[in-house]
Amino acid sequence: MLVIPEVAHFVGRRGHAGVEVDLLADIGQGALEPMPVAAEDWPRIAELVWKYRDLPLGTVDASVVALAERLKIQQIATLDRKHFSVVKPSHLEAFELLP
């Protein structure tokens, strides 16, 4: 769930309060399911932050990677193609980035 505040901040900072409200409403209505960081994810997050420190990857993006690895997710919706195109997930060759 680390990504929710980052996304809300991103859209809010660009003056899109309506988009931020829609995001929060979708979460509240169950259209999007926030996934918590599991205890087992933290060592992998730390490993990724260290491995990709020159990007820098950062905790939020590393948590997305760790969650995707744990759940065997292949696609990631992101505007951050720079980071997610470089990271090599443990469960596949590369993520399919959307849009």
Side-chain angles (χ1 to χ4, degrees):
M1 289 195 283
L2 297 175
V3 76
I4 295 169
E6 186 170 275
V7 171
H9 175 73
F10 177 82
V11 297
R13 186 177 58 183
R14 285 165 174 69
H16 301 295
V19 175
E20 184 176 0
V21 168
D22 290 345
L23 168 71
L24 299 171
D26 285 346
I27 292 167
Q29 294 169 359
L32 299 171
E33 181 183 352
M35 300 297 295
V37 176
E40 68 216 47
D41 295 332
W42 289 109
R44 179 61 174 153
I45 292 167
E47 177 185 342
L48 290 163
V49 168
W50 179 252
K51 181 176 181 178
Y52 296 100
R53 64 191 173 276
D54 292 337
L55 280 177
L57 184 63
T59 300
V60 173
D61 290 349
S63 74
V64 171
V65 173
L67 177 68
E69 290 174 342
R70 180 166 46 91
L71 299 178
K72 307 294 188 226
I73 293 170
Q74 298 178 4
Q75 299 176 322
I76 293 182
T78 183
L79 298 175
D80 187 356
R81 292 185 162 283
K82 176 184 174 186
H83 289 163
F84 289 104
S85 64
V86 172
V87 172
K88 176 145 178 31
S90 64
H91 66 298
L92 61 138
E93 187 65 31
F95 289 117
E96 178 184 347
L97 303 180
L98 304 174

